[in-house]
Amino acid sequence: MTGKHGCSQRSKTVDLRNGSTVTEFILVGFEQSSSSTRALIFALFSALYSLAMAMNGLIIFITWTDPRLNSPMYFFLGHLSFLDVCFITTTIPQMLIHLVAKNHIVSFVSCSTQMYLVFSMGVAECILLAFMAYDRYVAICHPLSYAQIMSRQVCVKLVSTAWFFGLINGILLDYMTFRGPFCRDNHIENFFCEAPIVIALSCGDPQFSLTTIFADAIVVLLSPMVLIVISYARILASILGRASSSGRGKTFSTCASHLTVVIFFYTSAMFSYMNPRSTHGPDKDKPFSLLYAIIIPMCNPIIYSFRNKEMKRAMVRALGRTSLAQSKSV
């Protein structure tokens, strides 16, 4: 079985060298690792994926059902967790399957679809994080007008804007990645289809696609970051202008969770899509791919829940209701 699979993959590589068009890719990922290492990685990331799904699922449930968490901050947080669930589900299950399966082949369409979803969710999250920073700015700097400025209708429009631009931008980035013919080696040195690596496999000059994605990353990443920086600069000025040190600490603590998430997310995204082409490589790309593919979606709910007393109490109430329902059913 293994021999046949190896011959099949080698023959495809030979065909590609003779000028055939790529119809599928081979995700190398952790193929070079030993079976014991792959088993360890499988166990680790199965646990991390389960934890991320459970934590984000709990936040989605309590922010959408608990009447005490009806503020815009929790409305945005519920959508952030939903984005994280969608994001990790596009990459991690496939990685886990490939860790135990012999066949690491993905079709051209599957690779394109996965990349579109990764782009869309990533861009939507960038924009949503900026709106969350703006929400904190209005809450802290304009508390008397907060309910009017951040009404439910406005919040729905902001979340819809994040989703809309994410889905539209994903079409552009996906097209720029797959616009050229593919007739070179079809091995992707990662555990999922990632744009810089796939573009490098194109037959044509990849420079235009890479430049376009780089320019798009500047707009998509830096524009929301400008809004985040301005929001937090004004928040900081407002905090420092307050006489009470305890008031400063309480105000800043409400922003610390969001700021931590922003730093993690933007650092990994900038490394992946705003670095020169020469700096990309399997050893450098994989750690950052893992960071924003699983670690950040897992950390987001942990960061928010540990630093927020209302979230802790809501989680306890939700878990208590679940335990009570189970005991009654028994």
Side-chain angles (χ1 to χ4, degrees):
M1 181 75 179
T2 306
K4 288 181 180 178
H5 177 68
C7 289
S8 171
Q9 292 191 358
R10 283 195 296 271
S11 66
K12 290 179 187 298
T13 304
V14 171
D15 288 344
L16 294 173
R17 289 171 181 169
N18 289 336
S20 300
T21 303
V22 170
T23 58
E24 53 194 29
F25 295 99
I26 300 169
L27 294 174
V28 176
F30 302 99
E31 198 176 58
Q32 306 301 323
S33 304
S34 65
S35 57
S36 59
T37 301
R38 288 200 302 272
L40 179 62
I41 294 172
F42 177 84
L44 174 62
F45 282 95
S46 293
L48 292 177
Y49 177 69
S50 300
L51 180 61
M53 291 293 287
M55 292 291 291
N56 281 293
L58 181 58
I59 285 184
I60 293 169
F61 176 74
I62 62 177
T63 54
W64 292 0
T65 61
D66 194 323
R68 296 178 182 86
L69 303 181
N70 60 355
S71 70
M73 181 177 74
Y74 298 112
F75 177 77
F76 291 132
L77 181 56
H79 281 275
L80 179 66
S81 289
F82 184 69
L83 275 171
D84 284 337
V85 166
C86 294
F87 192 90
I88 60 177
T89 303
T90 62
T91 56
I92 301 304
Q94 181 189 64
M95 182 193 80
L96 295 175
I97 292 171
H98 286 179
L99 281 169
V100 297
K102 301 281 185 189
N103 189 350
H104 296 170
I105 294 175
V106 292
S107 68
F108 190 94
V109 173
S110 296
C111 188
S112 176
T113 303
Q114 182 185 60
M115 197 176 297
Y116 170 73
L117 292 173
V118 168
F119 278 139
S120 299
M121 300 303 114
V123 171
E125 187 157 337
C126 281
I127 298 172
L128 185 61
L129 287 171
F131 290 152
M132 292 174 75
Y134 175 73
D135 170 67
R136 291 298 82 209
Y137 156 71
V138 176
I140 293 169
C141 299
H142 303 282
L144 299 179
S145 307
Y146 179 64
Q148 182 180 358
I149 296 173
M150 299 301 295
S151 65
R152 185 73 172 187
Q153 186 178 8
V154 170
C155 292
V156 170
K157 287 181 178 178
L158 292 177
V159 168
S160 299
T161 299
W163 277 100
F164 175 77
F165 277 104
L167 295 172
I168 294 299
N169 199 258
I171 295 173
L172 168 67
L173 296 175
D174 208 42
Y175 169 74
M176 295 309 303
T177 302
F178 292 95
R179 59 187 288 273
F182 290 84
C183 55
R184 295 178 181 172
D185 184 18
N186 62 343
H187 289 68
I188 296 175
E189 296 281 346
N190 211 327
F191 61 91
F192 71 98
C193 296
E194 195 168 28
I197 302 173
V198 173
I199 291 173
L201 302 178
S202 173
C203 297
D205 182 11
Q207 196 57 46
F208 178 71
S209 293
L210 288 171
T211 303
T212 303
I213 290 178
F214 178 80
D216 183 83
I218 291 177
V219 175
V220 169
L221 290 174
L222 295 189
S223 297
M225 183 174 283
V226 169
L227 179 57
I228 291 171
V229 170
I230 292 173
S231 297
Y232 276 106
R234 295 190 175 184
I235 288 171
L236 184 62
S238 175
I239 292 174
L240 295 177
R242 297 179 182 180
S244 170
S245 58
S246 61
R248 293 176 187 174
K250 184 179 179 181
T251 304
F252 185 74
S253 67
T254 63
C255 303
S257 302
H258 178 257
L259 201 54
T260 304
V261 169
V262 166
I263 291 170
F264 278 135
F265 183 83
Y266 274 83
T267 299
S268 59
M270 284 182 171
F271 179 88
S272 297
Y273 295 102
M274 293 186 68
N275 258 2
R277 183 185 173 191
S278 58
T279 63
H280 286 282
D283 294 335
K284 295 179 180 179
D285 286 335
K286 279 181 193 174
F288 279 88
S289 297
L290 288 170
L291 179 64
Y292 72 77
I294 183 65
I295 304 300
I296 291 176
M298 182 196 68
C299 288
N300 284 355
I302 295 175
I303 292 169
Y304 277 106
S305 59
F306 276 132
R307 296 195 61 89
N308 190 304
K309 292 180 180 178
E310 286 186 32
M311 283 296 299
K312 287 180 185 176
R313 286 194 289 264
M315 286 184 173
V316 170
R317 286 194 298 269
L319 293 173
R321 287 196 302 269
T322 304
S323 301
L324 183 62
Q326 287 179 346
S327 62
K328 285 183 177 179
S329 64
V330 173

